[in-house]
Amino acid sequence: MKGLNPSIKHHLVVGLLIALWIFVFAFIIKPFDDGTLNFRSWFLISFGFSILAFFCYGVLAVLQKSIYKNISKWNLSLEIGSVFFFFLLYLFGIYAFYKSPILKGGYSFVEFFSVIFLKVALILTPVIILARRYLIKLIPIKDDVLIFIGENKLDILKIKKTDLVCISNAQNYVEIFYIENEKLHSKLIRSSLKKILEDFTFLVQIHRSHLINPSHFKSWRNSNAVILTQIELPVSKNFKESILTL
């Protein structure tokens, strides 16, 4: 997964779904019934486990939003880490509830983990994965804004993604070409093409000195040059394949 819906409200809905699923699973299916638990005990287990699931997922929602806000990206490792954090928090939470005076559970931690928790985790994992993938589709679509920040204090440019045409190397600077009021403009900032490409992965390198926004590709001038919106650029042999698919 390469994205995250940071909305706490949306994730609390997922937390509620998880809680309801656990209540149904524990109360109706009774996956770890040993024949000694009465109606009251099953209700307390089901209710407590579901409430704790909602609480733990709420903690995760707040934490992951803070991380996403600070690093402005999300990847598979962070996604796996988030789900693992939820299960770890949930494990200790429900075990503390299980051993509390309310339930007075007799299992040791190892027994509780193998007999009870693994079953809960098994039925929860696909629900969490599918729900989190669906939440990405709920992210509001809005105009992407690119912010270029250079090494100098005043090196900053804020433009819409659709307005960016290309970026060219200019010794210790890069020159950013963009459309404004239907005319081509440019701005120099102190940075490098390598850093720009790392920060804005949608760009395509067509030459050691040029990156382009693929949405502004118009046509080939010849085998060694391309026409973009209001500008032409050379294409080097080493990067020709990357632009042939545009």
Side-chain angles (χ1 to χ4, degrees), residues 11-78:
H11 280 282
L12 288 181
V13 173
V14 172
L16 183 62
L17 173 66
I18 291 171
L20 289 173
W21 176 233
I22 288 179
F23 184 85
V24 171
F25 176 75
F27 189 69
I28 297 178
I29 301 176
K30 298 181 180 179
F32 29 83
D33 186 7
D34 60 1
T36 64
L37 297 174
N38 55 28
F39 177 86
R40 177 181 177 276
S41 298
W42 269 116
F43 179 81
L44 288 175
I45 287 175
S46 305
F47 183 75
F49 279 26
S50 60
I51 290 297
L52 284 168
F54 179 77
F55 172 77
C56 292
Y57 199 83
V59 172
L60 172 63
V62 174
L63 179 63
Q64 69 185 8
K65 181 176 182 178
S66 177
I67 294 173
Y68 184 74
K69 184 178 179 180
N70 287 331
I71 66 177
S72 300
K73 64 179 181 180
W74 200 256
N75 54 38
L76 184 60
S77 296
L78 289 169

Side-chain angles (χ1 to χ4, degrees), residues 173-184:
Y173 291 79
V174 293
E175 188 171 10
I176 302 170
F177 294 88
Y178 59 97
I179 300 296
E180 186 175 25
N181 297 324
E182 299 183 355
K183 293 184 178 180
L184 187 67

Side-chain angles (χ1 to χ4, degrees), residues 105-130:
Y107 284 142
S108 67
F109 181 81
V110 174
E111 291 171 329
F112 178 84
F113 179 83
S114 59
V115 176
I116 296 178
F117 181 76
L118 284 181
K119 293 178 181 178
V120 174
L122 193 62
I123 63 103
L124 265 188
T125 301
V127 175
I128 293 174
I129 292 173
L130 291 174

Side-chain angles (χ1 to χ4, degrees), residues 141-148 157-167 176-180 184 196-197 199-204 211-217 229:
I141 298 174
K142 50 188 176 182
D143 290 334
D144 289 329
V145 175
L146 308 177
I147 302 177
F148 297 92
L157 176 64
K158 186 176 181 180
I159 57 174
K160 289 182 180 180
K161 181 179 178 179
T162 53
D163 291 338
L164 175 65
V165 178
C166 61
I167 302 173
I176 302 170
F177 294 88
Y178 59 97
I179 300 296
E180 186 175 25
L184 187 67
I196 295 291
L197 192 56
D199 292 341
F200 304 99
T201 55
F202 71 93
L203 295 172
V204 175
L211 306 174
I212 69 168
N213 182 348
S215 65
H216 282 276
F217 172 78
T229 303

